[in-house]
Structures are given as C-alpha cells and as structure tokens.
Amino acid sequence: MPKPGTLFILVVLFGIILLAIFRPEPMLAPGPVKPAHAAIADDCFACHAPFKGAAAERCISCHAPARIGLFTTKGKRLAGGKAAFHQQLITPDCLACHTDHAGPAPTGHSPVRFHHDLLKPAVRGQCATCHVAPATTLHRQFATTSCATCHATSGWKPAHFAHDRLFRLDRDHNVACTTCHVGGNTRRYTCYGCHEHKPAATLAEHREEGVRGNIDNCARCHRSAEGEREGGEDDE
C-alpha cells in the first residue's frame, strides 16, 4: 500500500491530468487576453508558435513597428496618436515590454515597464520625441535646456540639478531663475539685472586688478555671494 505522502502526490497528478483533458484552456492560458485582442482570444497560434511560445515575429505581422501608436492594425489613423518610437528599438522584442494575458506576476505575464536601454543609443537623449514637459513655471524657465540636465532615463523622479557647481544660490541669490536667466534661456545668464554696474567701469576695475580676458562670465570667478575665486579658474 502506498505511503500517505505518495498517495497524495498521485491524487494531485491525477487531478492535473483530468483538468488538462477536460479544461485545457484554464490550465494553459495565464488569464484572459486584453480586450483589443478579443477577436483572436481562441486562436492561440496567432501569437504562439508550437513548443516555442509567443514570438515578436508574430506580433509585427499585425503591428508594424513604424505605425504603432499612429495607426490601427486596419490602417486607420489614430486621433491624437502617440509618438512612433518602436522603430527606434535596438531589437523588435515586443515581449520585453508587452504581454497579452492578464495573468499574475509569478506567471511572467504581468506588465513590464519600458526601459530606455531598449532604444538605440543615438535617440535616447531625444526626450521631446515622446515626452512633453509639464506646464509648470519651473519647466517653462528651463524651456531651452536639455531634460538630461535634471532628469535621468532611469526615472523621471527624483530630478537633480547641482546648481552649486556653477553658482551657489545663497543669501540674496535664492531668487527665481528668470532673474538671472532672462527670457527663461538657461543657457545664458546675466548679473546686471541686480548688480547695477556699468560694464565699462567693471572692465576697468578688473584690469586694474590684473584680470585679463573676457569678464562676461562672472561665475567663472565669483561662485557665491561670499567671495571670489571659490572654485574658479585661473585667469590666463
């Protein structure tokens, strides 16, 4: 007579066999397909190759990478279509991000987050191709600045910008960006909006101190409100 543990295993195996014979779909399919694919819900081989599983080649037979987000599979243009970036992927590995079944995470069919490493290196910095900057005062001030100045492709948040390496925003300098970056152009700045120096007089004073060369870049030597040459470069 079989031992109780062995008998239990045999019963479980017998139950699995019966389910596989009489209820094969719940045993094989990890959850229902997405509503958009309801028409092929019963056609497993539309996406799966026998003994190989789902393959990207079968996905792109209906979803042409260059048209994803712009047109339906029937060729109808989508209203307010998204950016077509799929043609910029290193490889057309649809399963790296997508799954068609609403199964739980342990089945390997839970949604996967997109990662920018899937894109070709040449386009990873072209953020505006897919992303629109938030309509906030801060982002309007940085309208001409690269997103990578503050953000990383590993995650939009948190954002970091080490302004102290350029100029320390202490004391009276902790003001709105547009105070120094006129018109929101963060590629240029001016100190004359607050410091009412006359450029000619300022130039003469610097020459008296032996400072040569262009003095328009004040932050080259003046890195904070506390003093001069704090981390600045030597003058040639």
Side-chain angles (χ1 to χ4, degrees), residues 33 37-50 53-63 100-101:
V33 298
H37 285 164
I40 59 172
D42 297 327
D43 184 7
C44 301
F45 298 115
C47 301
H48 296 266
E57 290 78 10
R58 300 203 173 201
C59 299
I60 61 179
S61 65
C62 295
H63 304 279
D100 197 46
H101 291 277

Side-chain angles (χ1 to χ4, degrees), residues 164 167-174 195 221-231:
D164 281 4
F167 187 88
R168 188 183 306 158
L169 297 176
D170 54 1
R171 289 173 53 183
D172 296 332
H173 294 89
N174 190 14
H195 298 276
C221 297
H222 304 276
R223 296 299 182 91
S224 74
E226 299 299 331
E228 301 175 3
R229 299 185 182 280
E230 187 176 316

